[in-house]
Amino acid sequence: MKVVPLSPQTLVDELVGRIDAVPRTSWARVLLDGALPTRPGELADALVEPLRALGRPVLRVSAWDFLRPASVRLEFGHEDPDSFRDSWLDVGGLVREVLEPLDPGGSGRVLPALWNAATDRAHRAGYVTLGAGGVLLLDGTMLLDKWLPAELTVHLWLSAGALARQSADEWRWTLPAYASYEPQADVTVRYDHPARPALVGKVD
């Protein structure tokens, strides 16, 4: 397997090129997945303006705004790794409100946030319509074993050692959840050192 060293900027350029290669006849749903220390939302944010500069409408959504209510999410306690992996995310809500409307022939009408986990109340976000040829950038963790529809998937890969070293103390209880997580992504990026990412596989 070929591993190609990149800089953070060339990683952004590479991903922007791949996203813009998706035909503009419909929408491009892009999932950016990674363990918590990789901060996939930051990479998603970095893609917004370059894509807009190419004339692509962009909508940023975070899976963290589609968590289940605390009564369901924390049914087995605040630090249950199995629940974190399998039960925290409202997969049905995410598919219904964000991903299915961007199916070919869909309405393009998306609800960008459903549940505020901090207040444990529904978000007050209104529906937005993503224009033709638009790009959805959705970030989250452990998204790629849930059969979510997407035109491009990106996984920020951490070795077990880097994951353990970089995880914040308050999240170390989640480590067992990642032990058996084996995502299949269109693009895999080695991310042990974010300043020196590396693309796994052939660069087009």
Side-chain angles (χ1 to χ4, degrees), residues 57-167:
V58 179
L59 177 63
R60 273 287 288 117
V61 174
S62 176
W64 291 98
D65 290 321
F66 285 83
L67 299 185
R68 288 176 165 154
S71 60
V72 178
R73 191 173 74 248
L74 307 178
E75 180 181 1
F76 298 102
H78 285 74
E79 298 186 356
D80 182 75
D82 291 334
S83 296
F84 178 71
R85 174 168 177 170
D86 299 324
S87 303
W88 276 38
L89 181 65
D90 183 354
V91 175
L94 184 62
V95 170
R96 180 183 69 251
E97 301 291 357
V98 178
L99 298 172
E100 281 187 348
L102 303 180
D103 280 339
S107 67
R109 188 169 179 264
V110 171
L111 184 67
L114 182 62
W115 194 259
N116 186 329
T119 62
D120 204 33
R121 295 179 181 274
H123 265 291
R124 295 184 177 180
Y127 284 89
V128 298
T129 298
L130 184 60
V135 177
L136 167 74
L137 298 173
L138 171 66
D139 75 275
T141 189
M142 293 187 289
L143 296 178
L144 302 185
D145 61 354
K146 296 176 171 59
W147 305 99
L148 300 175
E151 280 62 55
L152 185 71
T153 56
V154 180
H155 177 63
L156 304 180
W157 179 88
L158 283 182
S159 64
L163 176 59
R165 289 192 304 272
Q166 296 178 26
S167 291

Side-chain angles (χ1 to χ4, degrees), residues 15-48:
L15 294 178
V16 167
R18 291 183 182 231
I19 295 167
D20 196 43
V22 177
R24 300 190 181 206
T25 52
S26 188
W27 298 279
R29 296 165 293 192
V30 181
L31 309 185
L32 294 108
D33 170 78
L36 297 179
T38 68
R39 299 178 176 88
E42 294 182 2
L43 178 58
D45 290 342
L47 301 174
V48 173

